[in-house]
Amino acid sequence: MPFLTVKFNLQNRVKLAQGLWMLYWLSVIVGIAIFSLGLFFKIELRKRSEIMDNSESHLVPNLLILVGALACGINAFGGKTCHDSLDPLKFAKLKPLLRPYMLLCCGFNALLLLLVLLCFIMQFSVYLTLAEGLKNAIRFYKDTDTPGRCFMKRTLDMTQIEFRCCGNNNFRDWFEVQWISNRYLDMSNELVKDRVLSNVEGKYLMDSVPFSCCNPGSPRPCIQHHLTNNTAHYDYDHRIEQLNIWSRGCRGAVFSYYSSIMNSIGALLIVTIVLESADVAGLKYLSTSLETMADPENPECESEGWLLEKGMKETFADMITKLKTLGRANQVEEGADAPEATS
Amino acid sequence: MTLLKMKFNQQRRVRLAQGLWLMSWMAVMCGAFVFCLGVYLKIELLRRAEVMDNAEIHVVPNILIMVGLASIGTNWVATRVCQDSLDATRFPRWKVLLLPWFAVAALLCCLLVAVVVLSYALQGRLEESLKEGLRNGIRFYKDTDVPGRCFQKETIDRLQMDFRCCGNNNFKDWFEVQWVSNRYLDFTSQEVKDRIRSNVDRRYLLDGVPFSCCNPSSPRPCLRYHLTDNHAHFNYDYQGEELNLHPRGCRKALVDYYMGLLNSTGPGVLSVILIQMSVFLSLRYLQTAVEGALDLENPEDESEGYILEKGVKETFEDVKLQILGLLKFGQVDPTEEAPVDEDAEKAASPSPDS
């Protein structure tokens, strides 16, 4: 009993072929969109790899680029198939390719599903990498003379300006780190010596933040130094002062940016899965309706199209038996002969 | 003596119509491109409108937007003419429209040339406008509590950070202006009182700059107060310290940015002019060839296509006479009859001699 049969006359077949052709080309455009999004995501990760310790995982964008290219190829072939399907000669040439092609499409759909899951799960990895990377970036902020780290200051400053954030969790992360290089500290000064001696590791710590933490929207010129000392500035209370410096931490800010990119990519992939499934279903209907034409010479005859030749349960049982025979193919010949004799 | 005439048989006419149809659609795309370019320029100019004193430079994107829209419409009409050109029944209804079409197309090309010229000519005015606007911006930086100016601080800060510049000409512009509001000055402090008394206008001037002047690329954490005092900071030389603040002034930075934008649009606009001119000439050839073919007994025969029926001078004289005739149409009748009588007299007078 075929599954979900539909009757087709010539007009319906032609309309199905045309509609399917347009759907395939729409899928090609979506494939190009996935490819470009993968490229964009890869570039964005590379741009900020310095604050992620250069250890971020490029698995998702690489897979996206691959999947986008594959989607274009597969759907272009599908479109060509639809275009040729109404010509009996060309269709006869394509018939043997159709079954492996549809299996390939199903496999591709499974890959897309895996990618959607990855998009949502890899966000955890990005978060953890960011946390670690920003911690190190703040520690190496002062090392503008160390090869390999000399641009850390600029990168971190630009990140804080661009994402409107300060520090890892908040601005107090800057209080725990020496962010002024020893080259610019006058070690003979009493104040400097006091500060250096005030902690075990001999670091010059202060309650100040770099200029990139400043909020331009504040009505007051930016207060960067002596942030916790109310008497150091006129009419200043650090507990109620909101607008002076950015209150958000950079980890949250940069993560929400990447998270929104990955979420939109995930949504687009779900749309692609739906499109691809529609493509495969349509192609199955078209190919079965063309194959079951009672009189191949007369194009005007009616035919039936279906999704599965037998019902769901029977097709499933068939697949399992096939897998079992594949498994038994390596066994002794007697075992292999027996299923052949019974079928 | 026709200008640049060419022979067209039926096949060539068909090919010309097809090629012109494609070229007209390309010209429609170019019109859309010019429109988008105008919109983009306008948005970029509006984004920084707060630091511009006047809006004279806006004439460039305005013309581009108008020309883009008109060009889309004009070239779409050209595609319709091409489609109907090979059909003898539908072509005659376009005949009336073609002369205005040529006039509009020529006007569009002239406007595009004017845009290219203007974008170079208005550079001086842009610089003046920016100079005045930035001067005001720096003066009103502290007025974050005055309605109408409360966002001046944020605008200038963002401008200095985005364009990596400081002040109008350079960072010393900030030394001449009080950029800290009186609300945040402790007037009981001796230092504040000294500074206010040190100048005639009683302004709190200091040798410091706002944080947005800081250069992130500098290896040293930003020094922005006591800039002229070498002893205020360790290992600091006011004359030698280059990278800590942004080196260039915002006026130069903005002028360079806008001139770069306008210069990069130059080649695009020039190619649009070229495409429009080719559509113009090809449509003229198509018009004359098809009209010539329609006049023949057998429409499938060869016909001639040309740019001008007579030479340039003769066409010019013809056009002049037509315009004068139109002008004289409004005058009194006797003057119209007089030239006729004069001609009759002239014809009569030489006869005794001859």
Side-chain angles (χ1 to χ4, degrees):
Chain A
M1 181 58 203
F3 188 63
L4 290 178
T5 50
V6 177
K7 283 214 177 293
F8 287 100
N9 58 16
L10 175 70
Q11 219 184 5
N12 283 352
R13 276 198 298 271
V14 171
K15 271 207 209 133
L16 176 65
Q18 284 173 338
L20 201 58
W21 182 83
M22 290 224 290
L23 203 62
Y24 266 117
W25 281 108
L26 181 67
S27 307
V28 170
I29 292 176
V30 170
I32 293 176
I34 293 177
F35 180 83
S36 343
L37 269 177
L39 215 57
F40 167 71
F41 189 36
K42 193 168 175 83
I43 292 174
E44 284 295 306
L45 278 178
R46 267 234 171 275
K47 258 165 70 172
R48 301 199 173 84
S49 62
E50 228 179 321
I51 56 172
M52 293 197 271
D53 267 346
N54 292 324
S55 66
E56 76 275 11
S57 161
H58 280 259
L59 178 67
V60 171
N62 289 342
L63 270 181
L64 277 173
I65 290 173
L66 182 69
V67 158
L70 265 180
C72 284
I74 287 178
N75 292 320
F77 179 74
K80 184 180 169 317
T81 313
C82 289
H83 190 257
D84 291 344
S85 61
L86 294 171
D87 182 357
L89 281 169
K90 290 194 193 159
F91 184 66
K93 273 191 270 180
L94 282 171
K95 243 197 326 197
L97 287 173
L98 275 180
R99 199 174 152 69
Y101 173 71
M102 280 194 269
L103 282 174
L104 181 67
C105 282
C106 292
F108 184 66
N109 263 3
L111 180 64
L112 280 175
L113 198 62
L114 177 70
L115 203 52
V116 169
L117 284 172
L118 266 181
C119 263
F120 291 118
I121 292 177
M122 288 300 273
Q123 291 184 21
F124 291 108
S125 152
V126 169
Y127 186 81
L128 291 171
T129 324
L130 258 180
E132 192 60 32
L134 275 173
K135 203 158 69 82
N136 289 335
I138 292 176
R139 265 194 320 154
F140 301 144
Y141 183 86
K142 65 176 176 11
D143 295 334
T144 45
D145 51 349
T146 310
R149 292 189 209 147
C150 33
F151 291 116
M152 193 61 92
K153 175 182 180 292
R154 190 180 76 161
T155 310
L156 195 51
D157 277 335
M158 299 301 285
T159 306
Q160 291 193 145
I161 291 176
E162 195 183 330
F163 284 93
R164 308 185 185 198
C165 58
C166 188
N168 205 340
N169 296 305
N170 54 36
F171 62 91
R172 288 174 205 275
D173 297 316
W174 290 107
F175 297 175
E176 299 156 15
V177 157
Q178 176 180 351
W179 55 271
I180 297 187
S181 173
N182 283 335
R183 289 176 289 158
Y184 309 116
L185 290 173
D186 182 8
M187 291 301 179
S188 56
N189 187 323
E190 287 302 318
L191 203 69
V192 174
K193 280 196 266 192
D194 280 341
R195 279 194 192 268
V196 168
L197 288 170
S198 74
N199 63 89
V200 184
E201 294 152 43
K203 290 191 285 185
Y204 179 80
L205 304 177
M206 36 179 206
D207 54 348
S208 315
V209 291
F211 77 94
S212 42
C213 282
C214 287
N215 181 355
S218 159
R220 178 174 196 158
C222 186
I223 295 171
Q224 289 174 246
H225 303 285
H226 308 295
L227 281 170
T228 48
N229 185 0
N230 282 353
T231 52
H233 316 279
Y234 178 67
D235 192 17
Y236 173 72
D237 183 354
H238 73 274
R239 276 176 275 264
I240 42 178
E241 188 71 41
Q242 303 273 14
L243 291 174
N244 186 37
I245 50 177
W246 299 116
S247 46
R248 210 162 53 143
C250 285
R251 186 176 60 209
V254 179
F255 174 68
S256 69
Y257 172 69
Y258 279 127
S259 169
S260 62
I261 294 181
M262 289 172 103
N263 285 341
S264 12
I265 291 179
L268 182 67
L269 282 174
I270 290 177
V271 167
T272 314
I273 291 177
V274 169
L275 259 180
E276 286 287 329
S277 318
D279 283 338
V280 171
L283 189 65
K284 181 73 175 172
Y285 271 122
L286 185 64
S287 63
T288 46
S289 71
L290 284 171
E291 280 165 10
T292 60
M293 279 202 293
D295 181 12
E297 300 299 314
N298 175 19
E300 306 241 344
C301 66
E302 280 208 353
S303 61
E304 264 188 4
W306 56 71
L307 264 183
L308 294 169
E309 201 163 347
K310 305 161 193 168
M312 285 273 277
K313 276 193 180 171
E314 291 158 4
T315 321
F316 208 52
D318 270 352
M319 268 204 304
I320 291 184
T321 24
K322 265 207 194 130
L323 282 170
K324 282 191 194 160
T325 37
L326 271 175
R328 282 200 208 135
N330 290 335
Q331 282 184 4
V332 181
E333 273 185 19
E334 291 164 32
D337 281 330
E340 270 184 74
T342 41
S343 64
Chain B
M1 184 56 207
T2 48
L3 187 69
L4 292 175
K5 89 177 156 193
M6 285 171 68
K7 285 210 177 296
F8 287 97
N9 57 17
Q10 177 69 357
Q11 202 190 19
R12 279 181 88 179
R13 277 198 295 272
V14 169
R15 283 224 209 105
L16 177 64
Q18 286 172 338
L20 186 56
W21 185 84
L22 274 175
M23 208 158 38
S24 302
W25 274 112
M26 198 159 76
V28 170
M29 298 292 163
C30 289
F33 164 73
V34 166
F35 174 75
C36 294
L37 200 64
V39 168
Y40 174 68
L41 266 177
K42 184 112 186 144
I43 290 177
E44 281 297 307
L45 283 171
L46 282 174
R47 265 172 81 183
R48 310 289 171 190
E50 278 191 50
V51 292
M52 289 196 214
D53 195 41
N54 61 43
E56 279 181 17
I57 190 76
H58 281 253
V59 75
V60 170
N62 288 346
I63 294 182
L64 278 175
I65 290 173
M66 280 192 318
V67 165
L69 286 174
S71 165
I72 290 176
T74 313
N75 291 314
W76 181 81
V77 166
T79 60
R80 304 287 302 140
V81 170
C82 288
Q83 270 181 319
D84 290 345
S85 63
L86 295 168
D87 185 351
T89 49
R90 293 203 292 197
F91 185 71
R93 70 177 173 186
W94 291 110
K95 269 192 185 177
V96 180
L97 208 56
L98 277 174
L99 187 60
W101 189 94
F102 287 125
V104 168
L107 179 67
L108 289 180
C109 286
C110 292
L111 279 176
L112 281 174
V113 171
V115 156
V116 176
V117 168
L118 271 177
S119 64
Y120 286 107
L122 285 176
Q123 180 176 349
R125 301 292 300 152
L126 177 69
E127 202 162 338
E128 287 298 315
S129 162
L130 279 172
K131 184 170 166 188
E132 196 57 32
L134 280 170
R135 205 168 68 89
N136 288 337
I138 291 174
R139 266 193 325 165
F140 303 143
Y141 183 85
K142 63 176 178 8
D143 296 335
T144 45
D145 52 348
V146 174
R149 291 189 210 150
C150 34
F151 291 112
Q152 201 75 287
K153 176 183 178 295
E154 188 168 359
T155 309
I156 296 282
D157 277 334
R158 290 228 168 268
L159 184 77
Q160 292 192 146
M161 287 197 290
D162 287 341
F163 285 89
R164 310 192 186 189
C165 58
C166 186
N168 206 336
N169 300 305
N170 52 37
F171 64 90
K172 296 189 196 151
D173 297 320
W174 289 105
F175 296 177
E176 300 157 13
V177 157
Q178 175 179 351
W179 54 272
V180 183
S181 175
N182 284 337
R183 289 175 290 157
Y184 309 117
L185 292 174
D186 181 9
F187 285 98
T188 57
S189 150
Q190 193 57 36
E191 188 234 347
V192 175
K193 283 195 259 191
D194 282 341
R195 282 193 189 270
I196 286 182
R197 283 196 219 123
S198 72
N199 65 90
V200 183
D201 306 314
R202 303 179 67 79
R203 289 179 293 171
Y204 179 79
L205 302 177
L206 45 110
D207 52 349
V209 292
F211 77 93
S212 43
C213 279
C214 287
N215 187 354
S217 308
S218 162
R220 179 172 194 164
C222 187
L223 300 169
R224 52 188 187 97
Y225 290 113
H226 308 293
L227 285 171
T228 48
D229 185 3
N230 281 352
H231 300 294
H233 316 280
F234 178 67
N235 194 10
Y236 172 71
D237 180 13
Y238 169 56
Q239 307 297 335
E241 194 71 30
E242 282 179 348
L243 290 178
N244 215 234
L245 305 173
H246 292 305
R248 59 178 184 169
C250 287
R251 187 179 68 216
K252 183 167 190 317
L254 279 168
V255 165
D256 285 346
Y257 173 68
Y258 283 123
M259 281 300 123
L261 264 184
L262 290 171
N263 286 345
S264 55
T265 63
V269 170
L270 283 173
S271 37
V272 169
I273 294 176
L274 277 173
I275 292 177
Q276 187 70 54
M277 285 308 297
S278 356
V279 170
F280 182 98
L281 290 171
S282 312
L283 192 62
R284 177 67 180 163
Y285 270 121
L286 185 66
Q287 175 203 15
T288 46
V290 170
E291 279 176 3
L294 288 175
D295 287 337
L296 294 171
E297 292 154 7
N298 178 13
E300 309 259 323
D301 254 354
E302 254 194 20
S303 68
E304 274 185 2
Y306 45 80
I307 305 245
L308 291 172
E309 201 170 346
K310 306 164 193 168
V312 180
K313 266 196 179 175
E314 291 158 1
T315 323
F316 195 54
E317 296 291 319
D318 273 351
V319 168
K320 215 165 65 166
L321 281 172
Q322 270 183 0
I323 295 180
L324 286 174
L326 277 171
L327 285 173
K328 280 195 194 149
F329 196 67
Q331 287 186 359
V332 184
D333 275 349
T335 358
E336 267 195 325
E337 288 176 0
V340 179
D341 291 335
E342 274 177 19
D343 280 336
E345 281 176 33
K346 275 195 192 144
S349 49
S351 46
D353 294 337
S354 61

